[in-house]
Amino acid sequence: MPFDLSLYLVTDTGLCAGMGLEKTVEAAVQGGITMVQLRDKHASDEHMIAQAKRLKALLAGSGVPLIINDRLSVAVASQADGLHVGQSDTAVQEARTTLGQHAIIGLSINTLAQLQKAPIELLNYVGLGPVFATGSKQDHAQPIGFDGLAQLANACQLPCVAIGGLKAEHMAHVKAAGANGVAVISAICGQPDPRLAAQAFHAQ
């Protein structure tokens, strides 16, 4: 499936609680998000598979791929379009072997050393960051700022998306640093109008 990293929504069940996850994603798609990653560190696999299937149905025909965060079994069971993994020696290889050549596989990168070690030939994109410290992930790595983002983006052979505390007003900095787009959580999830929140990124 072709993919576009311009505006990549990473879901947060807690932040979306007011409107509900599906309604939030639906509104955000109307606002122009280009990818969705289902991320829920606390849900059971069964709950996450059911959620992923609902999102997959909702996204059908939109051209917006559904990526699962970290849980390979959920990606398989829900027939999601791909998987995003963190730093692990086997996660990327296992994901590619299990999901096949057509799956979209992404990897989180925080340092040049991680980028140099990454199995580039097995990946479709990388997530670079966090650019800023963020409340949605308490155990995040050291923020890299826009200078760090530029350094990683310039060294990267793959499409890359910036993540970590980014808002619509940061779009110009992200593009200037060489990233293909932004991945956001709180800038869309939990906003009173996710459609308008998404549109704000495209207006920059």
Side-chain angles (χ1 to χ4, degrees), residues 162-183:
I163 191 163
L166 294 162
K167 298 181 168 55
E169 59 263 31
H170 298 131
M171 280 299 278
H173 295 291
V174 168
K175 288 175 182 169
N180 297 86
V182 293

Side-chain angles (χ1 to χ4, degrees), residues 1-4 34-37 59 62-67 81-82 104:
M1 186 174 187
F3 65 95
D4 174 357
T34 55
M35 287 179 80
V36 177
Q37 182 186 131
L59 293 169
S62 68
V64 176
L66 175 65
I67 309 297
D81 300 297
I104 302 165

Side-chain angles (χ1 to χ4, degrees), residues 38 48-58 66 77-79:
L38 178 60
M48 208 166 164
I49 289 164
Q51 184 72 74
K53 285 179 174 176
R54 290 196 296 272
L55 286 181
K56 190 88 173 81
L58 186 155
L66 175 65
S78 65
Q79 296 185 305

